Amino acid sequence: MSRSAIFEGVKVADFTWAAAGPIITKQLADNGATVIKIESTRHPDSVRLGGPFKDGVRGINRSGFFADFNSSKLGIAIDMNHARAAEVVLPLARWADVVADSFRPRVMDKWGFGYRRLSEINPAVIMVSSSLYGDTGPWSTHPGFGAQGQAIAGFHGLTGWPDRPPAVPKGAYTDSVSPRFGMAALAAALIHRERTGQGQHIELAQVDTGVMFLSAEIIKLQAGGGETVRAGNADPRALLHAVLPCKGEDRWIAVELWSHEQWHACMETLAARGQPSAVLADPAAARHAPGAVEHAVGELTSQWDAFELTDALRQAGVPAGACLRGGDLLADPVLRERGHFWPLAHPEMGTLDYNGPAYRFEHTPSRLGAAAPCLGADTDDVLGQVLGFASGQIGELRDCGVLA
């Protein structure tokens, strides 16, 4: 890692799995921390078992999702249910500045590695525990994933069209929301420890972070503005706020018109490929017949290539953007120019482009150091070089089944 990496020297024992937890620890790893990911061949990270798989070939080390969430980490295999797991886990906890987990509450306690135990052997340790419902409350021990979290947090009630069932936001939405809060909390705890030497336990509830994203809707309801309901792509404040069809299979463009100037600029641009209907002559029509207006504009946009129309509308001062697919993102010149993607070589999947950080540090640049680890690939190196275990001790632990 670069000597100037902002988290260089921070040591992390990463027991997280799936998405919400690993995204937190990825931010540390990509910015210089030594992050050791702990899983097991008997209970691997569940994301390893789900696609997309490289070349469509299933394999424990071929998951694209796992790869993206775990760059720059080291990987070791420990059977956490083994009676002698503590012989490895407790030395890891003594070594670590941060211990992260994303199990249901009390799972780490069941194994004997809850915060109280770990803080006894390492008072300065910071433990961040991410779960769907948090450590307290009647649902704290219930199983669940982000798909349930986003429903309980209120997102389903806002996504979709009013005459149809709620539409599920892409993926497990709270898995993407909560790590941003978790990383901020962890950074604050590291600053507090630097000042005081004191470690602490951070409890992170995915549902709570999701609710915070809907703060405006909650305030609006309390202030007497009524409850926000599903409205598709529309925004009642705009003259047009829509995703519209373009030429080609499943090609679309997002367009927003907020002023009469933008309205007329949009209609003049679209008139180059077709005559706008009478309903589009007056911007006031957007207020009285929004469905008819969206349909009429969509008939015009369907005559255009999405990327050509994006350029034309932007030149006219109209907010617009083609709806990009995965292949479009990988080829996008803006992302390439910004250095968003990092090519990293993986033992089984070859060289793939990984998402880099969305932020840019002026003096402490981020650096993706390595592709995601194969399951248990770094076990011997971590135990020997990081924790100081003798080779015979490592072999004995492997023979008895701890390292599996």
Side-chain angles (χ1 to χ4, degrees):
M1 283 293 178
S2 166
R3 292 296 299 174
S4 60
I6 201 165
F7 287 119
E8 183 176 1
V10 175
K11 299 169 289 186
V12 184
D14 181 6
F15 293 89
T16 66
W17 64 293
I23 291 173
I24 297 175
T25 52
K26 170 185 166 66
Q27 304 307 310
L28 297 169
D30 289 343
N31 286 286
T34 300
V35 178
I36 298 173
K37 182 174 179 64
I38 299 98
E39 49 185 329
S40 166
T41 56
R42 293 185 174 89
H43 296 285
D45 189 324
S46 63
V47 175
R48 287 187 180 273
L49 308 178
F53 295 104
K54 177 67 166 63
D55 300 324
V57 178
R58 298 180 67 86
I60 199 74
N61 296 312
R62 301 180 67 84
S63 167
F65 269 132
F66 181 86
D68 195 46
F69 299 154
N70 292 283
S71 59
S72 308
K73 301 178 184 180
L74 301 170
I76 67 174
I78 304 173
D79 182 357
M80 298 293 290
N81 290 307
H82 197 285
R84 295 178 59 184
E87 294 179 35
V88 180
V89 174
L90 294 183
L92 270 174
R94 290 189 189 96
W95 164 85
D97 298 298
V98 175
V99 173
D101 83 275
S102 55
F103 303 111
R104 277 184 286 169
R106 293 176 277 291
V107 168
M108 291 291 281
D109 285 304
K110 180 192 72 174
W111 285 326
F113 309 126
Y115 175 69
R116 181 172 297 181
R117 173 81 183 281
L118 298 188
S119 64
E120 289 173 354
I121 65 170
N122 182 359
V125 74
I126 296 169
M127 187 169 187
V128 55
S129 298
S130 170
S131 63
L132 194 63
Y133 306 111
D135 282 358
T136 59
W139 291 356
S140 62
T141 59
H142 286 206
F145 296 92
Q148 296 83 56
Q150 64 197 13
I152 293 166
F155 287 100
H156 286 203
L158 300 178
T159 51
W161 280 259
D163 59 340
R164 305 181 200 175
V168 178
K170 190 270 174 189
Y173 198 70
T174 55
D175 277 13
S176 297
V177 169
S178 64
R180 279 66 189 173
F181 290 86
M183 188 60 241
L186 181 53
L190 286 167
I191 293 170
H192 174 77
R193 190 184 63 182
E194 185 175 315
R195 291 173 175 170
T196 67
Q198 183 181 42
Q200 61 183 306
H201 188 205
I202 302 168
E203 176 226 347
L204 179 67
Q206 287 188 39
V207 170
D208 290 3
T209 66
V211 173
M212 288 186 70
F213 258 52
L214 301 180
S215 297
E217 283 70 27
I218 294 171
I219 294 295
K220 172 189 169 186
L221 177 61
Q222 294 178 90
E227 191 165 34
T228 302
V229 296
R230 298 190 299 279
N233 295 315
D235 188 320
R237 301 167 298 172
L239 296 173
L240 179 69
H241 191 282
V243 176
L244 303 161
C246 291
K247 277 186 178 179
E249 183 178 353
D250 200 28
R251 285 295 184 181
W252 304 81
I253 187 170
V255 179
E256 297 184 29
L257 305 178
W258 294 90
S259 68
H260 285 201
E261 290 77 15
Q262 290 176 349
W263 175 279
H264 291 302
C266 179
M267 298 312 149
E268 288 175 9
T269 301
L270 294 176
R273 300 286 175 87
Q275 182 60 40
S277 70
V279 74
L280 300 179
D282 184 358
R287 304 293 190 194
H288 304 302
V293 167
E294 183 173 330
H295 177 75
V297 178
E299 288 186 331
L300 296 173
T301 60
S302 65
Q303 306 304 310
W304 289 75
D305 171 82
F307 298 96
E308 291 179 1
L309 183 54
T310 296
D311 291 340
L313 289 174
R314 286 178 176 173
Q315 289 175 14
V318 175
C323 299
L324 301 187
R325 303 195 292 239
D328 302 323
L329 293 171
L330 287 169
D332 185 73
V334 175
L335 292 173
R336 290 292 171 184
E337 183 178 332
R338 284 180 55 75
H340 176 80
F341 293 111
W342 288 67
L344 299 174
H346 187 275
E348 289 195 29
M349 294 189 286
T351 299
L352 300 175
D353 283 332
Y354 284 63
N355 282 303
Y359 42 79
R360 303 290 186 274
F361 291 116
E362 179 183 4
H363 300 298
T364 55
S366 306
R367 178 176 178 269
L368 274 65
C374 292
L375 181 55
D378 304 297
T379 301
D380 286 10
D381 288 343
V382 168
L383 268 61
Q385 298 175 25
V386 176
L387 300 182
F389 284 30
S391 58
Q393 185 181 7
I394 297 171
E396 197 272 329
L397 289 169
R398 176 166 282 107
D399 290 343
C400 78
V402 175
L403 307 179

